[in-house]
Amino acid sequence: MSGATERLAELGLTLPAVTAPVAAYVPAVRTGNYAYTSGQLPIVDGKLQATGKVGDSVSPEEAAGLARICALNALAAAAGAAGGLDAIKRIVKVTCFVASAPSFTGQAQVANGASELLIDVFGDSGRHARSAVGMAVLPLDAPVEVEMIVEVE
């Protein structure tokens, strides 16, 4: 093990199997030195971990944990396209979609769940541009969805 794989293990995490798409798309596409992931939901072992709106039935803290799961699933998809986790050189951009109750404005804090995991795994190469966007609803009524762009070797 080396690099990101080693740091992931130090965090007590393993890269999950790539989550199967729920519609007509692929989990990630590589073009040149970049891999683009499709939006990843907080699915563990084939099961969506929560449903509902953040700021209503899902707490912001729970949503941040769900964003972390989404980021791990996105890393698995990106690694699949890149030829392995250690082939990822840099996290370029993360977009975090948050199914939000009408008055909820803490999308950035929810997205930190994903961002902090990526920094923990990749160090300075995990620091990325980011958007955190409130949504009315997400696929399968998931509270959070994360997609990313990564630079690969």
Side-chain angles (χ1 to χ4, degrees), residues 93-142:
K93 172 78 189 268
V94 172
T95 305
C96 182
F97 303 97
V98 181
S100 301
S103 64
F104 182 71
T105 60
Q107 291 82 7
Q109 289 70 35
V110 170
N112 281 345
S115 294
E116 291 168 1
L117 172 71
L118 297 170
I119 293 165
D120 288 346
V121 173
F122 290 95
D124 283 340
S125 295
R127 295 187 185 282
H128 50 271
R130 184 181 86 185
S131 298
V133 184
M135 309 297 292
V137 67
L138 291 169
L140 307 178
D141 196 28

Side-chain angles (χ1 to χ4, degrees), residues 39-58:
Q40 300 294 312
L41 301 177
I43 294 175
V44 175
D45 296 327
K47 184 175 185 325
L48 186 62
Q49 297 301 291
T51 59
K53 305 289 182 282
V54 181
D56 183 23
S57 60
V58 179

Side-chain angles (χ1 to χ4, degrees), residues 17 28 60 62 75 88 122 137 142:
E62 181 183 6
L75 279 180
I88 297 173
F122 290 95
V137 67

Side-chain angles (χ1 to χ4, degrees), residues 26-38 77-78 81 147-150:
V26 295
V29 172
R30 179 179 177 166
T31 183
N33 290 336
Y34 295 92
Y36 297 76
T37 73
S38 296
E147 66 180 28
M148 66 177 71
I149 301 168
V150 302

